[in-house]
Amino acid sequence: MSRPTASTPDVTVWVCMDDADARARLLEDARRGLAAEPKDLPPKWFYDGEGSRLFEEITRLPEYYPTRAEREILLDRAREIAEVARAEALVELGSGAAVKTRILLDALHPAGTTSYLPFDVCEPVVRQSGTDLAGAYENLSVLGVVGDFERHLHLVPRHGRQLVAFLGGTIGNLLPDQRRRFLRQVRGLMEPGDHLLLGADLVKDPDRLVAAYDDGAGITAQFNRNVLAVLNRELEADFDPDAFHHVARWDADREWIEMRLRSGADQTVTAAGLGMQIPFRRDEEMRTEVSAKFRPDRIVAELKEAGLDVVRFWTDRAGDFALMLAAA
């Protein structure tokens, strides 16, 4: 059940997943993933306050090209996007700090977009970004939704003709079956005349891909290990982050990057909140993220399968990243 609260006269936030709901879902994911062979965790649990801060730092690293490449496309194409979409509302899934949203709104708002609907798992981030944007654009109403893609997308309300944005290459964090379900759910939000704006990272030289997820400054390693701090806090666990090493690996067969945490020794972790003792062998790895990279024909076909026709396909000048506008 959603819970509406107001931050300012122009900003409303619907909380579909509060702290208790989020903890219950984390317990469920951790119980399954930590007992699996091999162990794994969904990447959404990276994004507590510290994880969100570290990710914003990652986006500014020299090795991490996706943010710069997508920003380049948005700056070049925002006016064209506004002309084609003719949206009354911008719905942004996985909105985060909404850094690139201003590029879109600079074009969309003068063209008639009067509503912004950010959807994210982190309530403080939704509130802050929503308040900032409501203050930056005259007569822009903001209705934020705090929720989980897998459970709450159907609660996103309609405010007229929509442009649904899913940026940053986040589509690649979903495994193939999850991706198919997600795209069908997104299509379910849309009516004829609506559009989806989707960012996707493209297949390229593996050395560049690995470097983007294993930077020289070690920020991505901090980001990866921070999920252990989340588990310690929420599961009453005793992970020692220093006892795990960050790993980023390119899987050429699946064409995705995997981030993992590798145990530096034989050890047993206690998770009192789960009532579990979790053994790790020396060099045992736990997968914490998949980041799929796409070939253009593959992502276009996946959108088509979900009932979405690509009407515009752009890349940055280096051909590293793609931005697609798809019509319902």
Side-chain angles (χ1 to χ4, degrees), residues 16 25 46 51 81 104 114 120 135-136 138 153 158-159 194 209 230 237 244 265 290 295 297 306 309 314 317-318 324:
C16 305
R25 192 59 184 266
F46 281 133
I81 292 165
L104 279 173
T114 56
D120 200 89
E138 187 176 1
L153 276 186
R158 287 197 65 84
H159 281 220
D194 291 347
L209 287 168
V230 174
F244 289 83
V290 160
R295 298 184 187 274
D297 56 348
D309 293 320
W314 306 287
R317 283 179 280 279
M324 288 149 280

Side-chain angles (χ1 to χ4, degrees), residues 37-51:
E37 184 63 44
K39 297 177 176 68
D40 73 275
L41 289 170
K44 62 187 171 186
W45 302 117
F46 281 133
Y47 297 98
D48 66 342
E50 177 65 2

Side-chain angles (χ1 to χ4, degrees), residues 23-272:
R23 185 173 186 274
R25 192 59 184 266
L26 172 57
L27 290 174
E28 179 183 329
D29 286 344
R31 183 174 286 110
R32 175 202 56 78
L34 293 172
E37 184 63 44
K39 297 177 176 68
D40 73 275
L41 289 170
K44 62 187 171 186
W45 302 117
F46 281 133
Y47 297 98
D48 66 342
E50 177 65 2
S52 297
R53 184 194 70 77
L54 285 167
F55 183 72
E56 289 305 313
E57 192 171 345
I58 287 168
T59 65
R60 297 189 290 271
L61 292 169
E63 297 96 332
Y64 196 80
Y65 62 86
T67 300
R68 292 189 299 276
E70 188 175 48
R71 178 181 172 82
E72 177 190 311
I73 304 168
L74 287 169
L75 287 168
D76 288 345
R77 301 296 182 175
R79 185 172 297 179
E80 185 178 352
I81 292 165
E83 290 171 353
V84 175
R86 295 185 290 116
E88 296 165 85
L90 171 62
V91 178
E92 186 172 13
L93 306 179
S95 53
V99 174
K100 288 172 283 196
T101 311
R102 291 174 183 260
I103 301 172
L104 279 173
L105 283 174
D106 283 348
L108 291 168
H109 189 250
T113 299
T114 56
S115 298
Y116 174 57
L117 294 88
F119 183 109
D120 200 89
V121 72
C122 184
E123 181 178 349
V125 169
V126 170
R127 290 188 181 280
Q128 186 60 57
S129 62
T131 300
D132 291 346
L133 290 171
Y137 297 90
E138 187 176 1
N139 298 322
L140 180 72
S141 66
V142 176
L143 173 56
V145 180
V146 178
D148 186 320
F149 289 150
E150 296 177 81
R151 295 187 295 158
H152 301 122
L153 276 186
H154 67 284
L155 297 176
V156 175
R158 287 197 65 84
H159 281 220
R161 185 182 176 110
Q162 295 184 140
L163 173 64
V164 181
F166 193 46
L167 301 176
T170 309
I171 188 70
N173 295 145
L174 304 176
L175 295 170
D177 286 345
Q178 293 175 317
R179 200 160 61 235
R180 281 189 286 271
R181 288 195 299 271
F182 172 78
L183 290 173
R184 286 197 296 267
Q185 289 175 327
V186 170
R187 176 62 184 87
L189 293 178
M190 300 168 66
E191 295 183 358
D194 291 347
H195 289 81
L196 169 66
L197 184 67
L198 179 67
D201 199 4
L202 300 177
V203 174
K204 58 183 63 65
D205 176 60
D207 289 341
R208 288 189 62 214
L209 287 168
V210 170
Y213 293 84
D214 193 12
D215 61 277
I219 306 302
T220 310
Q222 292 179 49
F223 173 72
N224 197 7
R225 282 193 290 265
N226 181 67
V227 77
L228 301 179
V230 174
L231 296 179
N232 284 346
R233 183 175 64 246
E234 300 299 334
L235 306 182
E236 302 169 66
D238 60 0
F239 282 95
D240 176 5
D242 292 334
F244 289 83
H245 307 294
H246 169 66
V247 176
R249 182 180 298 124
W250 172 243
D251 185 322
D253 293 330
R254 296 185 173 110
E255 295 191 322
W256 68 37
I257 286 281
E258 286 195 3
M259 286 206 324
R260 295 171 174 260
L261 288 169
R262 178 186 295 152
S263 177
D266 293 335
Q267 56 182 305
T268 298
V269 174
T270 299

